[in-house]
Amino acid sequence: IILPEETPGQLGERLSELGADLLVETLPKYLSGEIQPQAQDDSLSTYAPMIAKEEGKLDFTQPAEALERRIRAFQPWPGAFLDWQGQPLKIQRAHVDSCGGLPAGQRCVVGGLPAIAAASGCLVLDEHEARAALQAFVFPGSGLAEVLASTLRTSQGIHTI
C-alpha cells in the first residue's frame, strides 16, 4: 500500500526494508529446496515507458489533487515544475486547498504560502527550488509581502496576485 503523502524515494526505502526481511525468510527455504522458483508469465506483464523530463511540467487545467500527486510521483526525477517568466520553478512538495473559484492559473496566497488555482482547487506550494529572480514572487520571507502589498485583494481569506 502506498501511503497518502509518500514519494517514490520513501516508498523505495520502505520496500527495500520489507524486501530484505522477505529475503532473510525466503532464501533458506530456496537453498533447502523447500520452494522452487517460478517464471513470470510475460503475457501478464506491462511495459512502462521511460519518463521524459517534460512530463514533469504542471498543467493547471488539471485538478489540484492530480497536480499534487504528480509532484509526489515525479520525486526525485524528473521533478515537477511550472514555468515562471520562461524559467522552470521546481516544486518538491505541495498540498491542495480550496481557493474560492479562481480561474485556473490565477496566482494567489493561501495561508501565507504561494498558490496557483487549478481546474478544481488550489495548489499551495509548500516546498520549492527558487532562483533569485523568482523568490520575490513566490516565497514568503523573501520580500513577497512588501513587493505585493499594494496589489493584493482579499476574497474569503485568499489573496489574489
Side-chain angles (χ1 to χ4, degrees):
I1 295 175
I2 299 174
L3 302 175
E5 295 184 13
E6 197 165 40
T7 65
Q10 293 165 332
L11 176 62
E13 188 173 311
R14 191 165 55 88
L15 290 177
S16 70
E17 291 173 11
L18 291 171
D21 291 343
L22 185 60
L23 184 62
V24 168
E25 177 186 324
T26 307
L27 192 56
K29 292 177 183 177
Y30 170 72
L31 292 174
S32 71
E34 187 178 333
I35 59 174
Q36 299 298 317
Q38 295 181 355
Q40 175 177 307
D41 182 349
D42 289 336
S43 70
L44 300 176
S45 64
T46 57
Y47 172 74
M50 183 177 284
I51 296 172
K53 187 172 184 173
E54 299 78 38
E55 292 180 64
K57 184 174 181 179
L58 299 175
D59 175 3
F60 289 90
T61 63
Q62 299 294 312
E65 186 175 295
L67 296 173
E68 187 273 335
R69 288 178 179 164
R70 178 173 287 266
I71 291 167
R72 281 188 294 116
F74 287 173
Q75 292 297 331
W77 195 91
F81 65 94
L82 57 95
D83 281 334
W84 172 248
Q85 295 183 342
Q87 295 183 37
L89 175 64
K90 199 166 187 179
I91 311 300
Q92 283 93 8
R93 196 169 50 85
H95 72 273
V96 176
D97 204 321
S98 61
C99 57
L102 294 174
Q106 175 72 48
R107 299 181 310 251
C108 57
V109 177
V110 176
L113 294 172
I116 302 174
S120 64
C122 213
L123 187 68
V124 182
L125 310 181
D126 296 316
E127 191 176 319
H128 32 70
E129 283 182 4
R131 293 184 169 57
L134 303 174
Q135 287 182 347
F137 165 73
V138 178
F139 297 111
S142 66
L144 174 65
E146 293 79 11
V147 170
L148 301 172
S150 63
T151 62
L152 294 178
R153 293 178 290 135
T154 302
S155 171
Q156 302 171 353
I158 296 169
H159 302 285
T160 58
I161 301 170

